């Protein structure tokens, strides 16, 4: 029923490399045969193989230390372009935030017409001790935090070829993305925005393909504390996060729709 985990490339983008102490041990527990590609977008802090090995990763590893801060959107585009350029093997790609936990990396056998597999995520936002209770047993749901469908580029299995084509599309619209992003004073929900962009891209480029949903938890989103910044950008206050994120998603959805209407989803010749 399932493919080998070595069919998987896990991509992590990071700005605060100490956050990897949360994500990498969890990845090791459930995906030790995967290939791990880390894009460090903080030119002021070099990420070394020794550091990554020291916090638990023993498998195939690629590290990209960026010389200039690209921002979260371009960091994710850059890691996909690297996977393509270096011909890193694997039929599926899965993004993990540097401070979240992946608990199941199983790649299901799905139809060739399925471009992505959406699963559930548990969000931890109240009790720090819940971090120590994270377990693969959560795949059936968790008593801790809030569990629900995770419509986000993180934690979602995406076919490699689709992800690479989508990166090319994102590169085309990046100037518009940055223009919209800079119009907001808080950090925008990059993962959710990229998921909206991917769905728009696929609806136009490959209308015969679709994403499928599995009612199983594979991801833990850790949102403890109220850090003033993440990835070097101010974090939206919790009291206004829902309204802010809805407004942001609407703005970016309109942009992706315009790009699709202008045929920017077409593959470059």
């Amino acid at each position: 029923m399932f493919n080998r985990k070595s069919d998987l490339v896990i991509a992590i983008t990071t700005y605060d490399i100490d956050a990897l102490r949360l994500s990498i041990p969890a990845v090791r527990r459930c995906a030790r045969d995967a290939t791990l590609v880390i894009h460090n977008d903080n030119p002021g802090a070099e990420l070394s193989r020794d550091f990554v090995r020291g916090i638990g990763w023993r498998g195939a590893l690629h590290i990209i230390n960026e010389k200039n801060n690209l921002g979260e959107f371009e960091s994710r585009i850059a890691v996909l372009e690297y996977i393509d350029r270096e011909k890193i093997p694997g039929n599926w790609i899965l993004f993990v935030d540097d401070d979240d936990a992946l608990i199941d990396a199983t790649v299901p056998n799905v139809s060739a017409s399925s471009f992505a597999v959406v699963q559930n995520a548990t969000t931890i936002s109240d009790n720090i001790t819940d971090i120590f209770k994270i377990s693969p047993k959560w795949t059936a749901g968790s008593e801790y935090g809030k569990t629900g469908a995770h419509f986000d580029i993180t934690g979602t299995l995406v076919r490699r070829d689709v992800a690479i084509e989508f990166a090319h599309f994102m590169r085309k619209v990046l100037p518009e993305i940055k223009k919209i992003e800079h119009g907001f004073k808080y950090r925008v929900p990059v993962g959710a925005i990229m998921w909206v962009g991917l769905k728009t891209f696929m609806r136009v480029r490959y209308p015969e393909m679709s994403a499928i949903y599995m009612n199983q938890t594979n991801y833990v989103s850790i949102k403890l504390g109220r850090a003033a910044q993440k990835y070097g950008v101010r974090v939206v206050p919790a009291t206004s996060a829902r309204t802010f994120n809805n407004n942001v998603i609407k703005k970016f959805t309109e942009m992706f729709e315009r790009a699709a209407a202008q045929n920017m989803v077409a593959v470059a010749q």
Side-chain angles (χ1 to χ4, degrees), residues 30-151:
C30 68
R32 64 182 62 202
D33 292 329
T35 298
L36 180 61
V37 184
I38 306 173
H39 184 275
N40 173 27
D41 197 34
N42 184 354
E46 184 173 358
L47 179 63
S48 69
R49 295 179 71 86
D50 286 346
F51 178 86
V52 177
R53 299 298 189 201
I55 55 178
W57 184 251
R58 298 291 182 270
L61 173 64
H62 296 256
I63 295 174
I64 311 151
N65 280 301
E66 196 61 53
K67 294 181 180 179
N68 300 290
N69 176 240
L70 302 180
E72 197 173 355
F73 280 110
E74 193 169 2
S75 178
R76 295 193 183 192
I77 295 169
V79 76
L80 289 172
E81 290 173 337
Y82 177 90
I83 290 168
D84 182 34
R85 184 172 62 251
E86 298 300 318
K87 297 180 172 55
I88 296 174
N91 291 320
W92 294 86
I93 294 174
L94 188 150
F95 274 101
V96 175
D97 267 348
D98 59 358
D99 56 356
D100 287 342
L102 182 70
I103 59 172
D104 188 357
T106 305
V107 178
N109 285 327
V110 296
S111 166
S113 64
S114 300
F115 72 83
V117 181
V118 176
Q119 298 180 66
N120 296 332
T122 292
T123 300
I124 293 177
S125 57
D126 297 322
N127 192 341
I128 193 170
T129 60
D130 287 347
I131 292 178
F132 305 108
K133 300 171 184 176
I134 293 173
S135 163
K137 294 180 181 179
W138 287 17
T139 54
S142 171
E143 62 190 275
Y144 309 105
K146 181 180 179 182
T147 299
H150 193 52
F151 299 110

Side-chain angles (χ1 to χ4, degrees), residues 177-239:
I177 287 173
K178 289 189 173 183
K179 180 179 178 181
I180 296 173
E181 183 184 20
H182 292 158
F184 294 101
K185 63 180 180 178
Y186 298 115
R187 176 177 176 258
V188 300
V190 174
I193 291 167
M194 289 188 71
W195 174 245
V196 170
L198 177 61
K199 287 194 301 178
T200 304
F201 171 81
M202 292 302 293
R203 176 174 53 79
V204 177
R205 178 66 181 159
Y206 297 106
E208 72 280 8
M209 300 185 75
S210 61
I212 66 168
Y213 167 66
M214 290 179 59
N215 188 16
Q216 178 170 293
T217 303
N218 75 325
Y219 197 80
V220 180
S221 178
I222 301 172
K223 300 185 182 299
L224 293 171
R226 295 306 306 167
Q229 291 190 350
K230 184 174 181 180
Y231 295 103
V233 182
R234 293 174 63 192
V235 174
V236 62
T239 53

